Amino acid sequence: VMPKSQQEQSTLRIKLARAGFRSDAAPMLFLASKTVLALMLAALGLVLGLASGQTPQKLVGLVVFLGGIGFMLPNVWLWMGCRKRSQKIREGLPDALDLMVISVEAGLGLDATIQRVAKELQHVHVELSEEFVITTMETQMGLPRQEALENLADRVGIPEIKSLVAVVNQAEKFGTSIAKTLRNQADAMRVKRRQAAEERAQKTAVKLMIPLVLFIFPSIMVVLGGPAMLQLLRSLGGMQGGR
């Protein structure tokens, strides 16, 4: 299960980093978990198949099926971790942009601004603060700021950060105002977040239809129609008794 090429190894490390796992042993532990889960579920399928007296064909199919599920479960877990962390970073980005605008307009340089914002967000938006800290460390080690920001976009992997990095690098390249650029990005981010909230609110009515139909409406029908049905049954019983 080890990646065959350097590119595959790099891709795996990026995925793990997006989920918040950056240690050197993270890829090895992840791949080991895939192997262990596959073998465990395959052994479980073998035991269940033998205990239930399945035919050899069904037994092999059960073992392969459960082994494949065990092999893929860590991928699902990693995908969910990346999605959850990306959502937290996306939620904290508008606040970070507002702080960056204030810091730049107060006279701080972009490097000092990123360092300051990382410090201010370390207790509120931990994931985004961590990414900014890494970017600050890279620039302090001598990496060009543009390359450090591009590494930030690659690590996070969300469109909002990529757009922000592209706009900031373009503003530095052409000498335009960084503060104005960040303010425009903050306004756009705020509008996008409001539109996303409105979209989720509009979907709520559709999502409520399923529990209403399955749980609420039957209960209402029982409450409203139950007494009438009981009265009808009593009336029919009385008529039959009279005859």
Side-chain angles (χ1 to χ4, degrees):
V1 298
M2 290 295 295
K4 300 300 187 296
S5 63
Q6 188 69 26
Q7 183 178 0
E8 292 179 354
Q9 295 179 11
S10 178
T11 302
L12 178 59
R13 287 187 177 275
I14 290 175
K15 289 181 179 180
L16 291 170
R18 289 176 181 176
F21 303 101
R22 295 191 176 86
S23 65
D24 295 335
M28 183 66 68
L29 293 175
F30 175 75
L31 297 173
S33 67
K34 292 169 67 72
T35 304
V36 170
L37 283 176
L39 293 176
M40 288 178 61
L41 289 184
L44 177 63
L46 180 62
V47 172
L48 292 177
L50 292 175
S52 59
Q54 298 291 336
T55 61
Q57 291 83 1
K58 292 183 178 180
L59 181 62
V60 171
L62 181 62
V63 170
V64 173
F65 177 71
L66 291 180
I69 290 179
F71 191 79
M72 296 303 297
L73 277 178
N75 289 338
V76 177
W77 169 78
L78 181 61
W79 174 78
M80 293 177 62
C82 293
R83 183 179 179 182
K84 182 179 180 181
R85 193 169 187 273
S86 297
Q87 183 61 31
K88 290 182 179 180
I89 292 176
R90 189 178 287 110
E91 291 173 355
L93 192 55
D95 297 334
L97 285 174
D98 291 335
L99 289 174
M100 291 177 72
V101 170
I102 295 173
S103 300
V104 171
E105 290 181 346
L108 292 178
L110 186 57
D111 294 336
T113 295
I114 295 175
Q115 184 176 4
R116 181 66 179 179
V117 171
K119 183 178 179 181
E120 293 293 334
L121 296 179
Q122 62 181 350
H123 299 298
V124 183
H125 301 292
V126 181
E127 293 79 10
L128 186 57
S129 173
E130 180 182 350
E131 297 296 339
F132 282 161
V133 168
I134 295 175
T135 302
T136 301
M137 293 174 62
E138 288 181 346
T139 55
Q140 291 177 350
M141 292 172 60
L143 198 68
R145 182 193 303 158
Q146 181 177 356
E147 188 174 349
L149 292 175
E150 290 176 353
N151 291 340
L152 170 65
D154 292 336
R155 286 196 310 271
V156 176
I158 62 175
E160 291 83 357
I161 291 289
K162 292 181 179 179
S163 176
L164 173 63
V165 169
V167 169
V168 169
N169 288 337
Q170 187 177 10
E172 284 195 324
K173 181 178 180 180
F174 293 102
T176 57
S177 174
I178 296 293
K180 185 177 180 180
T181 300
L182 293 175
R183 186 176 295 278
N184 292 335
Q185 284 293 112
D187 294 338
M189 195 72 60
R190 212 171 284 111
V191 171
K192 188 174 182 180
R193 184 168 61 176
R194 184 173 64 251
Q195 291 175 347
E198 293 174 355
E199 182 181 358
R200 288 195 296 268
Q202 292 175 359
K203 291 180 179 178
T204 303
V206 179
K207 293 180 179 179
L208 284 175
M209 290 299 297
I210 297 177
L212 284 174
V213 172
L214 293 179
F215 304 106
I216 306 300
F217 286 164
S219 303
I220 293 176
M221 294 299 296
V222 170
V223 171
L224 296 179
M229 186 62 67
L230 291 175
Q231 186 65 32
L232 179 61
L233 292 176
R234 291 194 187 99
S235 300
L236 292 175
M239 293 174 60
Q240 292 176 357
R243 291 178 182 177

